[in-house]
């Protein structure tokens, strides 16, 4: 038996044996994302590229969870773990069947290139909805749980997670291939790197580099960033973003040819190339730009991951996962639960939940009313059934539902030969004929997403401002003029300023295949909304720093000075939950939580720490959270651990240490700021901590 088949040896030993059995040409071929078979060694072809951001993506039917930003809005690590588990179980089920049929195509492997843990620092960034928001702590907690769910806890990885995009990456999309992110040492350590460190130390098997450079070093060949990975004990494989190594010579202009780019990447620790540049590795070898050990070293890393996934084992514990788990009833039920917990109630003048005894006719109006695309987000799979907002309301409401599309998502007309605003009068009539109007507005992945995505209309997927498209602003204004009650449901993956104020606002994100059912259950009070904003909603993009400025000054809730519309952590329920009697001891916060309202609800208790030392962030930082269920009148004592790292701060040289001696700890269902207290109607409780 070949040594690499000996399952009693370590993955490192097996990978070295397997690599050393190859020729240098064969080793180099294994570093392409579309690695060919090496038949003489019994190594099948393998495509490294697979996606699972919020459900297994791009390879047919799969469970479609809410987009990542919506999952983050749940503020629940346990649910994040389950989400990752569902992705990986379905990936294994499909992998088992695909390989049995000889199908080793793209999007059918076990290396899942998720999660995206970039910091959503600017609301104009089109890919922000792929992330877990703007806060390093929330991002790390969500990311670690998702990684554990993807990978499992056994000897064999169920799938291999990949933390991306390393690092300092959050737009603009249209210049990302040659963009140099200039960032100081404090912001690096304080904001951009912590989540990556946490995920690497939690065992994430993969790390993907970004397109951009960081302080002059392309991310996929950055000595500075690669040294960080070594310091953190990274023991997996590093993969370039797709065609990012090609950017070295095409856009960054730091190399002059593909062989030079391939050499720079592999010598700095990029093991696998998503793209075509590593087809030049042998030419780089011939030109003396690299040596055989450079290729061998990366091949060992790549084979080690494949071995950890059990690809060369006689049997793994996952081989018998049946195809029937794909989009099964249990997974669809979980999708619904996530959608219900992710939607954020931003405003409610008392109109919600709707009283069916007082309403006979409901108008459902707007371009996202009956849209499947607005349920999906990007990096998505295909659900076997979708429930749009319109369908969910129709299924749930026993009275009459009048539907009017109202307008195009962003164009000034729906019919090419018609006049501008051709569906506006229909929408107004529907509103006039109804007791209440539910306007389903917002964006979808054709408007905000990744540069190069098919259909993105504006700024390569980035947003130009924070307003609704003009067609929708006109629609909202005209429906509001009817004087009938209006509820706005906004599907978007980012900060939106509705401007015109309706009676209630629900931010639904891109809520997955069961989004319409979840919305209807919230509207009619079957469940209480309980999502929280994982990012700040701003008043205006014009008041933000320029998009290309990566300084954290006046960005995100930790540094914000003004311009806040709805704060990070904000979100209403149908009840009222208060926090009292906060105590702290030995890194544990204990707080009494009571539902003083008259409805059962879930709520998220949030802990924030204010460091009064000179190196602290200007405001305060999230340091713990816990989701819980409370019946009307019920009271619980909640214990939430606070990591020791929460008491550290970062000086201007990027050194992290405990500099402060005096801290204020806050507990509440929102941030401890005046605007959050005004919106949510409750105050945080606090206690002082001296170290």
């Amino acid at each position: 038996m070949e040594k690499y088949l000996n399952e009693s040896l370590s993955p490192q030993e097996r990978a070295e044996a397997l690599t050393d059995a190859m020729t240098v040409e064969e080793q180099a071929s294994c570093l392409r994302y579309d690695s060919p078979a090496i038949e003489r060694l019994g190594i099948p072809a393998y495509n490294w590229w697979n996606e699972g951001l919020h459900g297994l993506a791009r390879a047919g039917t799969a469970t479609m969870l809410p987009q990542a930003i919506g999952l983050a809005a749940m503020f629940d690590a346990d649910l994040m773990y389950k989400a990752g588990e569902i992705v990986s179980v379905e990936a294994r089920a499909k992998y088992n069947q695909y390989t049995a049929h000889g199908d080793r195509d793209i999007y059918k492997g076990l290396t899942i290139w998720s999660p995206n843990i970039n910091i959503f620092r600017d609301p104009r960034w089109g890919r922000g909805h792929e992330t877990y928001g703007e806060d390093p702590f929330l991002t790390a907690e969500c990311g670690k749980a998702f990684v554990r769910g993807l990978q499992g806890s056994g000897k064999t990885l169920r799938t291999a997670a990949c933390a991306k995009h390393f690092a300092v990456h959050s737009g603009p999309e249209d210049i990302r291939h040659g963009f140099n992110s200039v960032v100081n040492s404090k912001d690096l350590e304080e904001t951009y790197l912590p989540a990556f460190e946490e995920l690497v130390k939690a065992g994430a098997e993969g790390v993907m580099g970004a397109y951009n450079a960081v302080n002059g070093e392309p991310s996929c060949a950055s000595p500075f960033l690669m040294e960080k990975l070594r310091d953190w004990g990274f023991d997996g494989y590093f993969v370039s973003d797709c065609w990012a190594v090609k950017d070295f010579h095409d856009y960054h202009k730091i190399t002059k040819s593909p062989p030079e780019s391939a050499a720079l990447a592999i010598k700095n620790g990029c093991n696998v190339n998503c793209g075509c540049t590593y087809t030049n590795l042998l030419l780089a070898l011939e030109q003396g730009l690299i040596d055989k050990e450079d290729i061998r070293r990366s091949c060992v890393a790549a084979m080690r991951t494949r071995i950890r996934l059990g690809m060369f084992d006689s049997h793994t514990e996952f081989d018998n996962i049946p195809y029937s788990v794909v989009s099964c009833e249990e997974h669809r039920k979980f999708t619904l639960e996530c959608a219900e917990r992710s939607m954020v109630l931003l405003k409610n003048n008392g109109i919600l939940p709707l009283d069916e005894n007082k309403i006979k006719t409901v108008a459902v109006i707007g371009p996202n009313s009956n849209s499947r695309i607005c349920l999906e987000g990007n990096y998505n799979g295909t659900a076997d059934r979708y429930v749009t907002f319109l369908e969910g309301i129709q299924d749930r409401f026993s009275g009459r539902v009048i539907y009017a599309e109202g307008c195009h998502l962003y164009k000034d007309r729906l019919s090419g030969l018609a006049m501008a605003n051709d569906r506006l009068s229909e929408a107004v009539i529907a509103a006039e004929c109804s007791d209440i109007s539910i306007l389903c507005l917002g964006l979808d992945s054709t408007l905000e997403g990744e540069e190069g995505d098919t259909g993105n209309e504006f700024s390569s997927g980035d947003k130009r401002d924070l307003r609704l498209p003009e067609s929708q602003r006109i629609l909202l204004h005209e429906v509001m003029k009817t004087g009938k009650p209006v509820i706005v449901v906004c599907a978007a993956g980012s900060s939106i300023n509705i401007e015109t104020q309706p009676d209630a606002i629900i931010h639904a994100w891109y809520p997955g295949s069961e989004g319409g059912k979840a919305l209807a259950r919230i509207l009619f009070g079957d469940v209480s909304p309980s999502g929280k904003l994982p990012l700040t909603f701003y008043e205006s993009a014009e008041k933000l720093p320029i998009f290309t400025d990566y300084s954290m000054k006046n960005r995100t809730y930790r540094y914000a000075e003004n311009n806040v519309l709805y704060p990070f952590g904000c979100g209403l329920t149908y009840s009222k939950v208060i926090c009292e009697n906060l105590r702290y001891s030995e890194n544990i916060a204990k707080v009494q939580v009571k539902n003083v309202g008259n409805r059962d609800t879930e709520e998220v208790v949030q802990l924030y720490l204010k460091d009064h030392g000179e190196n602290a962030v200007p405001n305060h930082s999230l340091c713990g959270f816990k989701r819980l269920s409370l019946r009307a009148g019920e009271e619980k004592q909640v214990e939430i651990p606070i990591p020791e790292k929460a008491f550290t701060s970062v000086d201007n040289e990027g050194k992290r240490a405990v500099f402060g001696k005096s801290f204020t700890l806050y507990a509440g269902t929102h941030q401890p700021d005046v605007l959050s207290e005004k919106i949510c109607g409750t105050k945080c409780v606090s206690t002082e901590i001296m170290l």
Side-chain angles (χ1 to χ4, degrees):
M1 179 175 64
E2 297 287 354
K3 187 176 180 181
Y4 68 84
L5 296 175
N6 186 345
E7 298 176 29
S8 65
L9 298 177
S10 70
Q12 179 70 25
E13 291 172 314
R14 294 176 67 186
E16 290 178 356
L18 178 54
T19 298
D20 291 340
M22 300 180 195
T23 66
V24 68
E25 292 82 5
E26 290 168 338
Q27 291 174 5
S29 73
C30 291
L31 307 184
R32 294 163 35 189
Y33 80 95
D34 52 347
S35 304
I38 304 175
E39 295 181 3
R40 69 179 188 86
L41 295 176
I43 301 174
Y46 183 67
N47 197 302
W48 288 78
W49 189 346
N50 202 356
E51 305 285 356
L53 188 65
H54 56 115
L56 192 62
R58 299 180 173 177
T61 301
T63 298
M64 186 191 295
L65 299 161
Q67 174 61 294
I69 194 73
L71 294 176
M74 299 187 300
F75 277 64
D76 193 313
D78 292 337
L79 296 176
M80 290 301 306
Y81 174 89
K82 180 65 175 178
E85 184 179 53
I86 285 174
V87 173
S88 65
V89 167
E90 295 195 3
R92 271 286 177 176
K94 288 207 160 193
Y95 176 80
N96 292 342
Q97 294 301 318
Y98 284 138
T99 54
H101 285 77
D103 187 351
R104 298 183 180 275
D105 200 0
I106 191 171
Y107 309 131
K108 297 173 183 177
L110 297 175
T111 39
I112 308 295
W113 288 351
S114 295
N116 183 340
I117 55 168
N118 293 130
I119 296 300
F120 196 178
R121 66 177 180 97
D122 192 297
R124 291 166 288 199
W125 185 36
R127 297 188 73 178
H129 55 99
E130 299 175 29
T131 77
Y132 299 134
E134 69 183 33
D135 181 65
F137 178 77
L138 178 63
T139 296
E141 292 301 297
C142 289
K144 287 187 293 185
F146 195 72
V147 165
R148 288 193 294 268
L150 284 175
Q151 297 189 168
S153 57
K155 175 186 175 183
T156 302
L157 295 176
R158 189 162 49 225
T159 58
C162 182
K164 65 183 186 184
H165 308 84
F166 192 55
V168 198
H169 177 78
S170 53
E173 283 293 299
D174 59 346
I175 58 173
R176 65 183 184 172
H177 296 283
F179 181 67
N180 179 34
S181 301
V182 178
V183 60
N184 64 46
S185 297
K186 181 175 175 65
D187 285 339
L188 268 170
E189 177 60 34
E190 202 167 63
T191 298
Y192 292 112
L193 297 184
F196 284 99
E197 179 179 0
E198 291 289 318
L199 264 65
V200 166
K201 290 182 175 179
E205 181 65 18
V207 171
M208 175 182 282
Y211 287 111
N212 56 277
V214 177
N215 294 332
E217 297 178 357
S219 297
C220 293
S222 167
F224 172 81
L225 292 176
M226 296 299 184
E227 183 64 27
K228 287 291 184 183
L229 293 178
R230 287 189 288 271
D231 290 345
W232 301 335
F234 181 55
D235 187 38
Y237 78 100
F238 187 100
V239 59
S240 71
D241 206 339
C242 297
W243 281 264
V245 176
K246 183 174 179 286
D247 290 343
F248 294 1
H249 52 272
D250 279 352
Y251 295 101
H252 293 297
K253 303 297 184 182
I254 63 159
T255 57
K256 296 180 180 179
S257 67
E260 287 186 19
S261 295
L264 183 66
I266 199 168
K267 289 185 78 68
N268 279 288
C270 182
N271 307 127
V272 176
N273 174 218
C274 182
C276 56
T277 310
Y278 272 18
T279 59
N280 294 277
L281 280 175
L282 296 178
L283 188 55
L285 182 64
E286 290 178 13
Q287 294 177 3
L289 301 173
I290 59 174
D291 55 37
K292 290 183 179 180
E293 181 56 28
D294 293 317
I295 295 175
R296 178 187 180 276
R297 184 170 54 249
S298 279
C299 190
V300 169
M303 291 301 106
R304 186 177 59 208
T305 294
R306 292 180 67 174
I307 288 166
R308 285 172 174 162
L309 286 162
M311 291 184 179
F312 308 121
D313 292 352
S314 58
H315 178 76
T316 77
E317 59 188 293
F318 310 119
D319 292 349
N320 296 323
I321 294 177
Y323 193 82
S324 58
V325 303
V326 176
S327 197
C328 63
E329 182 178 355
E330 177 190 348
H331 293 180
R332 290 198 300 270
K333 180 181 178 182
F334 180 74
T335 296
L336 174 62
E337 293 170 353
C338 288
E340 292 171 352
R341 292 177 168 102
S342 69
M343 294 184 182
V344 183
L345 180 61
L346 293 175
K347 180 183 178 183
N348 183 19
N349 66 2
I351 196 171
L352 292 176
L354 296 175
D355 186 346
E356 291 181 88
N357 295 320
K358 298 179 180 178
I359 299 172
K360 296 182 179 179
T361 305
V362 170
V364 180
I365 300 169
N368 275 338
S369 298
N370 203 30
S371 168
R372 287 187 172 188
I373 297 175
C374 84
L375 303 178
E376 292 178 336
N378 65 356
Y379 282 83
N380 59 287
T382 302
D384 52 11
R385 182 173 185 265
Y386 296 78
V387 182
T388 66
F389 297 145
L390 172 64
E391 292 165 341
I393 294 168
Q394 289 172 330
D395 291 344
R396 174 61 183 79
F397 182 52
S398 58
R400 173 73 190 276
V401 176
I402 301 176
Y403 167 57
E405 191 169 1
C407 67
H408 188 274
L409 191 67
Y410 60 91
K411 296 179 181 179
D412 68 353
R413 69 203 72 193
L414 277 158
S415 299
L417 296 177
M419 298 173 64
N421 303 314
D422 56 333
R423 302 292 173 84
L424 190 57
S425 60
E426 180 188 30
V428 171
I429 293 166
E432 290 173 340
C433 293
S434 301
D435 298 313
I436 190 167
S437 293
I438 301 170
L439 263 64
C440 300
L441 308 175
L443 311 174
D444 64 26
S445 58
T446 67
L447 290 182
E448 60 174 348
E450 184 172 9
E451 179 259 352
D453 278 354
T454 301
N456 274 326
E457 283 291 321
F458 305 121
S459 304
S460 297
D462 291 332
K463 296 192 305 185
R464 294 174 178 173
D465 59 39
L466 308 183
R467 301 179 299 168
L468 291 167
E470 184 178 12
S471 58
Q472 297 184 48
R473 299 199 302 270
I474 294 171
L475 173 65
L476 175 57
H477 179 73
E478 292 302 311
V479 171
M480 290 283 292
K481 283 170 59 177
T482 65
K484 295 294 185 72
V486 173
I487 299 166
V488 167
V489 178
C490 183
S494 55
S495 171
I496 299 289
N497 187 342
I498 301 297
E499 296 181 300
T500 304
Q501 287 301 304
D503 296 278
I505 301 173
I506 295 175
H507 199 85
W509 312 108
Y510 301 132
S513 60
E514 299 290 321
K517 185 173 183 179
L519 174 65
R521 284 172 54 79
I522 288 172
L523 289 172
F524 292 99
D526 301 328
V527 294
S528 172
S530 57
K532 304 291 182 179
L533 291 182
L535 68 160
T536 303
F537 274 30
Y538 299 97
E539 292 177 351
S540 170
E542 295 176 356
K543 298 178 183 178
L544 290 167
I546 61 171
F547 199 171
T548 52
D549 179 4
Y550 268 72
S551 165
M552 292 309 297
K553 182 176 174 58
N554 205 18
R555 289 190 187 279
T556 78
Y557 79 95
R558 297 195 301 161
Y559 310 89
E561 301 166 6
N562 51 40
N563 195 28
V564 177
L565 179 67
Y566 292 107
F568 172 94
C570 183
L572 305 173
T573 72
Y574 289 155
S575 197
K576 183 178 182 179
V577 174
I578 60 172
C579 294
E580 298 176 322
N581 192 23
L582 174 63
R583 291 149 291 156
Y584 171 81
S585 177
E586 298 180 345
N587 296 110
I588 298 291
K590 297 181 180 180
V591 61
Q592 292 297 121
V593 185
K594 186 174 183 179
N595 183 353
V596 297
N598 58 6
R599 298 183 67 93
D600 299 348
T601 189
E602 290 192 4
E603 185 54 280
V604 178
V605 177
Q606 303 166 45
L607 300 181
Y608 292 88
L609 195 65
K610 172 60 180 174
D611 183 343
H612 298 291
E614 61 179 356
N615 293 314
V617 300
N619 300 323
H620 41 257
S621 297
L622 182 73
C623 62
F625 55 88
K626 187 174 181 63
R627 171 176 285 271
L628 69 158
S629 298
L630 291 163
R631 296 186 301 275
E634 185 178 10
E635 183 174 0
K636 292 181 179 179
Q637 178 175 278
V638 176
E639 295 188 6
I640 304 175
I642 300 176
E644 292 183 3
K645 190 176 182 179
F647 294 93
T648 65
S649 54
V650 181
D651 67 16
N652 290 331
E653 283 67 51
K655 178 185 176 183
R656 180 181 289 276
V658 179
F659 293 107
K661 301 298 181 183
S662 173
F663 301 82
T664 304
L665 177 65
Y666 299 91
T669 59
H670 49 73
Q671 277 191 70
D673 67 290
V674 174
L675 181 56
S676 294
E677 292 177 351
K678 178 181 177 182
I679 293 171
C680 299
T682 59
K683 291 183 176 293
C684 292
V685 62
S686 66
T687 188
E688 302 302 314
I689 300 172
M690 298 296 295
L691 296 185

